[in-house]
CSV table of all heavy atoms in Angstrom, one decimal:
chain,number,residue,atom,x,y,z
A,1,GLN,N,4.1,12.4,0.1
A,1,GLN,CA,3.5,13.3,1.0
A,1,GLN,C,2.5,14.1,0.4
A,1,GLN,O,2.5,15.4,0.6
A,1,GLN,CB,4.6,14.0,1.7
A,1,GLN,CG,5.6,13.2,2.6
A,1,GLN,CD,6.7,13.9,3.2
A,1,GLN,OE1,6.8,15.1,3.2
A,1,GLN,NE2,7.6,13.1,3.9
A,2,GLU,N,1.5,13.5,-0.4
A,2,GLU,CA,0.5,14.3,-1.1
A,2,GLU,C,-0.8,13.5,-0.8
A,2,GLU,O,-0.8,12.3,-0.5
A,2,GLU,CB,0.8,14.4,-2.6
A,2,GLU,CG,2.0,15.0,-3.0
A,2,GLU,CD,2.2,15.0,-4.4
A,2,GLU,OE1,1.3,15.4,-5.2
A,2,GLU,OE2,3.4,14.9,-4.8
A,3,ARG,N,-1.9,14.2,-1.0
A,3,ARG,CA,-3.2,13.6,-0.9
A,3,ARG,C,-3.7,13.2,-2.4
A,3,ARG,O,-4.0,14.2,-3.1
A,3,ARG,CB,-4.2,14.5,-0.2
A,3,ARG,CG,-3.9,14.6,1.2
A,3,ARG,CD,-4.9,15.5,2.0
A,3,ARG,NE,-6.2,14.8,2.0
A,3,ARG,CZ,-7.2,15.3,2.4
A,3,ARG,NH1,-7.2,16.4,3.1
A,3,ARG,NH2,-8.4,14.6,2.4
A,4,LEU,N,-3.6,11.9,-2.7
A,4,LEU,CA,-3.8,11.5,-4.1
A,4,LEU,C,-4.9,10.6,-4.2
A,4,LEU,O,-5.2,9.8,-3.3
A,4,LEU,CB,-2.5,10.8,-4.6
A,4,LEU,CG,-1.2,11.7,-4.7
A,4,LEU,CD1,0.0,11.0,-5.0
A,4,LEU,CD2,-1.4,13.0,-5.6
A,5,TRP,N,-5.6,10.6,-5.4
A,5,TRP,CA,-6.7,9.8,-5.7
A,5,TRP,C,-6.4,9.0,-7.0
A,5,TRP,O,-5.8,9.5,-7.9
A,5,TRP,CB,-7.9,10.5,-5.9
A,5,TRP,CG,-8.5,11.2,-4.6
A,5,TRP,CD1,-8.0,12.3,-4.0
A,5,TRP,CD2,-9.6,10.6,-3.9
A,5,TRP,NE1,-8.7,12.6,-2.9
A,5,TRP,CE2,-9.7,11.6,-2.8
A,5,TRP,CE3,-10.4,9.5,-3.9
A,5,TRP,CZ2,-10.7,11.4,-1.8
A,5,TRP,CZ3,-11.3,9.4,-2.9
A,5,TRP,CH2,-11.5,10.3,-1.8
A,6,ILE,N,-7.0,7.9,-7.2
A,6,ILE,CA,-6.8,7.2,-8.4
A,6,ILE,C,-7.7,7.9,-9.4
A,6,ILE,O,-8.9,8.1,-9.3
A,6,ILE,CB,-7.2,5.7,-8.3
A,6,ILE,CG1,-6.3,4.9,-7.3
A,6,ILE,CG2,-7.2,5.1,-9.6
A,6,ILE,CD1,-6.8,3.6,-6.9
A,7,LYS,N,-7.1,8.2,-10.6
A,7,LYS,CA,-7.9,8.9,-11.7
A,7,LYS,C,-8.2,7.8,-12.7
A,7,LYS,O,-9.3,7.8,-13.2
A,7,LYS,CB,-6.9,10.0,-12.3
A,7,LYS,CG,-7.6,10.8,-13.3
A,7,LYS,CD,-6.7,12.0,-13.8
A,7,LYS,CE,-7.4,12.7,-15.0
A,7,LYS,NZ,-6.6,13.9,-15.4
A,8,ARG,N,-7.2,7.1,-13.1
A,8,ARG,CA,-7.3,6.0,-14.2
A,8,ARG,C,-6.5,4.9,-14.0
A,8,ARG,O,-5.4,5.0,-13.4
A,8,ARG,CB,-7.0,6.6,-15.6
A,8,ARG,CG,-7.8,7.6,-16.1
A,8,ARG,CD,-7.6,7.9,-17.6
A,8,ARG,NE,-8.5,8.8,-18.1
A,8,ARG,CZ,-8.2,10.2,-18.3
A,8,ARG,NH1,-7.2,10.7,-17.9
A,8,ARG,NH2,-9.2,10.9,-18.7
A,9,LEU,N,-6.9,3.7,-14.4
A,9,LEU,CA,-6.2,2.5,-14.4
A,9,LEU,C,-5.9,1.9,-15.8
A,9,LEU,O,-6.8,2.1,-16.6
A,9,LEU,CB,-6.9,1.5,-13.5
A,9,LEU,CG,-7.1,1.8,-12.1
A,9,LEU,CD1,-8.2,0.9,-11.4
A,9,LEU,CD2,-5.8,1.8,-11.3
A,10,HIS,N,-4.8,1.4,-16.0
A,10,HIS,CA,-4.4,0.8,-17.3
A,10,HIS,C,-3.8,-0.5,-17.2
A,10,HIS,O,-3.0,-0.8,-16.3
A,10,HIS,CB,-3.4,1.8,-17.9
A,10,HIS,CG,-3.8,3.2,-18.1
A,10,HIS,ND1,-4.6,3.8,-18.9
A,10,HIS,CD2,-3.4,4.2,-17.2
A,10,HIS,CE1,-4.7,5.1,-18.7
A,10,HIS,NE2,-4.1,5.3,-17.5
A,11,ARG,N,-4.2,-1.5,-17.9
A,11,ARG,CA,-3.6,-2.8,-18.1
A,11,ARG,C,-3.4,-3.5,-16.8
A,11,ARG,O,-2.3,-4.0,-16.5
A,11,ARG,CB,-2.3,-2.7,-18.8
A,11,ARG,CG,-2.5,-2.2,-20.3
A,11,ARG,CD,-1.2,-2.1,-20.9
A,11,ARG,NE,-1.4,-1.4,-22.2
A,11,ARG,CZ,-1.2,-2.0,-23.4
A,11,ARG,NH1,-0.7,-3.2,-23.5
A,11,ARG,NH2,-1.4,-1.3,-24.5
A,12,VAL,N,-4.4,-3.4,-15.9
A,12,VAL,CA,-4.3,-4.0,-14.6
A,12,VAL,C,-4.5,-5.6,-14.7
A,12,VAL,O,-5.5,-5.9,-15.3
A,12,VAL,CB,-5.1,-3.4,-13.6
A,12,VAL,CG1,-5.2,-4.1,-12.2
A,12,VAL,CG2,-4.9,-1.9,-13.4
A,13,LYS,N,-3.7,-6.3,-14.1
A,13,LYS,CA,-3.8,-7.7,-14.1
A,13,LYS,C,-3.7,-8.3,-12.7
A,13,LYS,O,-2.8,-7.9,-11.9
A,13,LYS,CB,-2.6,-8.4,-15.0
A,13,LYS,CG,-2.7,-8.0,-16.4
A,13,LYS,CD,-1.7,-8.7,-17.2
A,13,LYS,CE,-1.8,-8.3,-18.7
A,13,LYS,NZ,-0.7,-8.8,-19.4
A,14,PHE,N,-4.7,-9.1,-12.3
A,14,PHE,CA,-4.6,-9.8,-11.0
A,14,PHE,C,-4.2,-11.2,-11.2
A,14,PHE,O,-4.9,-11.9,-12.0
A,14,PHE,CB,-6.0,-9.7,-10.3
A,14,PHE,CG,-6.4,-8.2,-10.0
A,14,PHE,CD1,-7.3,-7.5,-11.0
A,14,PHE,CD2,-5.9,-7.6,-8.9
A,14,PHE,CE1,-7.6,-6.3,-10.7
A,14,PHE,CE2,-6.3,-6.3,-8.7
A,14,PHE,CZ,-7.1,-5.6,-9.6
A,15,LYS,N,-3.2,-11.6,-10.6
A,15,LYS,CA,-2.6,-13.0,-10.9
A,15,LYS,C,-2.6,-13.9,-9.8
A,15,LYS,O,-2.3,-15.1,-10.0
A,15,LYS,CB,-1.1,-12.7,-11.4
A,15,LYS,CG,-1.1,-11.9,-12.6
A,15,LYS,CD,0.4,-11.6,-13.0
A,15,LYS,CE,0.5,-10.8,-14.3
A,15,LYS,NZ,1.9,-10.6,-14.6
A,16,ARG,N,-2.9,-13.4,-8.5
A,16,ARG,CA,-2.9,-14.4,-7.4
A,16,ARG,C,-3.8,-13.8,-6.4
A,16,ARG,O,-3.9,-12.6,-6.1
A,16,ARG,CB,-1.5,-14.4,-6.9
A,16,ARG,CG,-1.2,-15.3,-5.6
A,16,ARG,CD,0.1,-15.0,-5.0
A,16,ARG,NE,0.4,-16.0,-3.9
A,16,ARG,CZ,-0.2,-15.8,-2.7
A,16,ARG,NH1,-1.0,-14.8,-2.5
A,16,ARG,NH2,0.1,-16.6,-1.8
A,17,ILE,N,-4.4,-14.7,-5.7
A,17,ILE,CA,-5.3,-14.5,-4.5
A,17,ILE,C,-4.5,-14.1,-3.3
A,17,ILE,O,-3.5,-14.7,-3.1
A,17,ILE,CB,-6.2,-15.6,-4.3
A,17,ILE,CG1,-7.3,-15.9,-5.4
A,17,ILE,CG2,-6.9,-15.4,-2.9
A,17,ILE,CD1,-8.2,-17.1,-5.2
A,18,VAL,N,-5.0,-13.0,-2.6
A,18,VAL,CA,-4.3,-12.6,-1.4
A,18,VAL,C,-5.2,-13.0,-0.2
A,18,VAL,O,-6.5,-12.8,-0.2
A,18,VAL,CB,-4.1,-11.0,-1.3
A,18,VAL,CG1,-3.6,-10.6,0.0
A,18,VAL,CG2,-3.3,-10.6,-2.6
A,19,ARG,N,-4.6,-13.8,0.7
A,19,ARG,CA,-5.3,-14.2,1.9
A,19,ARG,C,-4.9,-13.4,3.0
A,19,ARG,O,-3.9,-12.6,3.2
A,19,ARG,CB,-4.8,-15.7,2.2
A,19,ARG,CG,-5.1,-16.6,1.1
A,19,ARG,CD,-6.6,-17.0,1.1
A,19,ARG,NE,-6.7,-17.9,0.0
A,19,ARG,CZ,-7.9,-18.2,-0.5
A,19,ARG,NH1,-9.0,-17.7,0.0
A,19,ARG,NH2,-8.1,-19.1,-1.5
A,20,PRO,N,-5.7,-13.5,4.2
A,20,PRO,CA,-5.5,-12.7,5.4
A,20,PRO,C,-4.1,-12.9,5.9
A,20,PRO,O,-3.7,-14.1,6.0
A,20,PRO,CB,-6.6,-13.2,6.4
A,20,PRO,CG,-7.7,-13.6,5.5
A,20,PRO,CD,-7.0,-14.2,4.3
A,21,GLY,N,-3.4,-11.9,6.4
A,21,GLY,CA,-2.0,-12.1,7.0
A,21,GLY,C,-0.9,-12.3,6.1
A,21,GLY,O,0.2,-12.3,6.5
A,22,GLU,N,-1.1,-12.2,4.8
A,22,GLU,CA,-0.1,-12.5,3.8
A,22,GLU,C,0.9,-11.0,3.7
A,22,GLU,O,0.2,-10.0,3.7
A,22,GLU,CB,-0.5,-12.9,2.5
A,22,GLU,CG,-1.0,-14.3,2.5
A,22,GLU,CD,-1.4,-14.8,1.1
A,22,GLU,OE1,-1.6,-14.0,0.1
A,22,GLU,OE2,-1.4,-16.0,1.0
A,23,ARG,N,2.1,-11.2,3.6
A,23,ARG,CA,3.0,-10.1,3.5
A,23,ARG,C,3.1,-9.8,2.0
A,23,ARG,O,3.3,-10.7,1.2
A,23,ARG,CB,4.4,-10.4,4.0
A,23,ARG,CG,5.2,-9.1,4.0
A,23,ARG,CD,6.7,-9.3,4.3
A,23,ARG,NE,7.2,-9.8,3.1
A,23,ARG,CZ,8.0,-10.9,2.9
A,23,ARG,NH1,8.5,-11.6,4.0
A,23,ARG,NH2,8.6,-11.3,1.7
A,24,LEU,N,2.9,-8.4,1.7
A,24,LEU,CA,2.9,-8.0,0.3
A,24,LEU,C,4.0,-7.0,0.1
A,24,LEU,O,4.2,-6.1,0.9
A,24,LEU,CB,1.6,-7.4,-0.1
A,24,LEU,CG,0.3,-8.2,0.1
A,24,LEU,CD1,-1.0,-7.4,-0.2
A,24,LEU,CD2,0.4,-9.5,-0.8
A,25,ASP,N,4.7,-7.1,-1.0
A,25,ASP,CA,5.7,-6.2,-1.4
A,25,ASP,C,5.2,-5.3,-2.6
A,25,ASP,O,4.7,-5.9,-3.6
A,25,ASP,CB,7.0,-6.8,-1.8
A,25,ASP,CG,7.6,-7.5,-0.7
A,25,ASP,OD1,7.9,-6.9,0.4
A,25,ASP,OD2,7.9,-8.8,-0.7
A,26,ILE,N,5.2,-4.1,-2.4
A,26,ILE,CA,4.6,-3.1,-3.3
A,26,ILE,C,5.8,-2.3,-3.9
A,26,ILE,O,6.6,-1.8,-3.3
A,26,ILE,CB,3.6,-2.1,-2.7
A,26,ILE,CG1,2.5,-3.0,-2.0
A,26,ILE,CG2,3.1,-1.1,-3.6
A,26,ILE,CD1,1.7,-2.2,-1.0
A,27,PHE,N,5.8,-2.3,-5.3
A,27,PHE,CA,6.8,-1.5,-6.0
A,27,PHE,C,6.0,-0.6,-7.0
A,27,PHE,O,5.2,-1.0,-7.7
A,27,PHE,CB,7.6,-2.4,-6.9
A,27,PHE,CG,8.2,-3.6,-6.1
A,27,PHE,CD1,7.6,-4.8,-6.0
A,27,PHE,CD2,9.5,-3.4,-5.6
A,27,PHE,CE1,8.2,-5.8,-5.3
A,27,PHE,CE2,10.0,-4.4,-4.8
A,27,PHE,CZ,9.4,-5.6,-4.7
A,28,ALA,N,6.5,0.8,-6.9
A,28,ALA,CA,5.9,1.7,-7.8
A,28,ALA,C,6.9,2.6,-8.4
A,28,ALA,O,7.9,2.9,-7.8
A,28,ALA,CB,4.8,2.6,-7.1
A,29,ALA,N,6.7,3.0,-9.6
A,29,ALA,CA,7.8,3.8,-10.3
A,29,ALA,C,7.0,4.9,-11.1
A,29,ALA,O,6.1,4.6,-12.0
A,29,ALA,CB,8.7,3.0,-11.2
């Protein structure tokens, strides 16, 4: 419940293409 912006990214890896309509599960810690 905050207004946040991305400041920095580290070790980001893209492993799979995302197509229209696909369900995505997002996990953050």
Side-chain angles (χ1 to χ4, degrees):
Q1 298 181 3
E2 298 177 45
R3 293 181 64 177
L4 300 172
W5 291 80
I6 298 172
K7 182 177 179 179
R8 287 193 179 97
L9 298 166
H10 310 275
R11 300 179 188 244
V12 175
K13 295 181 182 177
F14 298 98
K15 300 179 180 181
R16 182 188 181 283
I17 291 175
V18 177
R19 301 283 182 194
E22 290 185 340
R23 189 190 78 223
L24 302 173
D25 293 307
I26 302 166
F27 306 93

